[in-house]
Amino acid sequence: NLPDHSNSAFSPKLHMSSFCQSDLMLFPMSDSCEQLSLLLKHPDQPENSKVLKVAIIGAPNAGKSTLSNQLLGRKVFAVSKKVHTTRSRALGVLTEEYTQIILLDTPGLTTPSKVKRHQLEKSLLVDPWNTVKEADLMVVMVDVADKWMSSRLDFEVLKCLAQHPDIPAVLVLNKVDLVKAKDRLLDITAQLTCGVVNGRKMRIRPVIKPPWAEKRSERASEDEENAAPEDGSEPTSALSKEQLKTLRNQQGWPHFKDVFMLSSVDREDVDTLKSYFMVAAKPGSWQYHSEVLTDQSPEEVCTNIIREKLLEYLPQEVPYSMTQSVELWQDGEDGELDISVKLYTKKETHMVSILTHYWAFITCICVSEVLYLASTPNETAVNVLYVHVVV
């Protein structure tokens, strides 16, 4: 009893029983009305409640969404190995005893020229900057396994920090498990903090830059000078030309309150950061009921998970040119939830690529990363019955 899409330009029906089932079942599936009702529900806060809004920022693919998921204890935000998995600002809520931590997960900071070149959404330019304005604390994430990204802070990150000097910021060095020479982490810390943490000079031996670091710095400065806004999509910088010039010559930010070295996939590592948030929270009213996990609707969670899988398993630029929409979302038999999703492709060659990679794609999804959480309330089986591919 699925809707008829036979009049679509091209819509081969691919039967995908239990598509993405293990990921979707990590999030309690309901409908948008139930989610909205929960979001509007008055917070059930205790008398001595505390709250903290945390904006997680960084360059693309630094591990921001992975960290957010680990802090929340559930898969809420889409994650993949490719850049720009997160396309817009998303909110997660962590409530424990008297404290509510509101996590603001943001797209990786990028430039207008890159957004235009790769035909990405304008939200990648606007959302991170607007989100920071809401925050009580900024978390700056850096992928230390990437030698290019760990040699200096991304210029867009530096601009964001410089525009909001009154918002406390902490530095998180992520993926430390992939760094073989652990003493190198101290050198990276010295570079990214300008040798100063919480107003105190760090006692670390001088860093001797390898030749590739010098070349990278020169190339980065040239790229940054050529990355001026082209269409006014990016919020106007509040920084003067002199300030921007100074930032271009900086490798790091000397005003971080603390530095954390962790792997965002390691629960024990992340628990240390979570404890820091709990202590940093200030007395204040909760903004959400304790049952709220995210402000995303179930349909949004579903489409984000599908986009994650497209990015993970489809080649090269194919997933970036695709969009998806939920065509059917209804309760089925025996308490199951039936979903029908339509994928849109810009090119017929991309459609062929999807069909070519179909079986490997589905196999990977059906055995994907997570098991059903027995502790999830209102357990719901999820069947995505059909995906329609449309050019």
Side-chain angles (χ1 to χ4, degrees), residues 107-152:
L109 284 159
T110 188
T111 63
S113 58
K114 290 179 181 177
V115 168
K116 184 176 181 179
R117 187 188 313 144
H118 301 292
Q119 299 182 330
L120 301 171
E121 293 92 333
K122 295 296 191 295
S123 58
L124 273 74
L125 291 175
V126 178
D127 283 14
W129 297 86
N130 289 340
T131 299
V132 167
K133 297 174 185 176
E134 306 176 44
D136 304 312
L137 177 70
M138 273 193 280
V139 171
V140 176
M141 292 198 71
V142 175
D143 176 3
V144 293
D146 185 329
K147 68 177 183 179
W148 304 110
M149 299 306 298
S150 62
S151 63
R152 62 179 291 168

Side-chain angles (χ1 to χ4, degrees), residues 22-23 26 75 79 308-309 313 364-365 367-371:
S22 55
D23 273 338
L26 281 171
K75 178 72 169 286
V79 174
E308 168 192 305
K309 300 307 178 185
Y313 298 114
C364 290
I365 287 174
V367 296
S368 72
E369 66 213 43
V370 288
L371 296 173

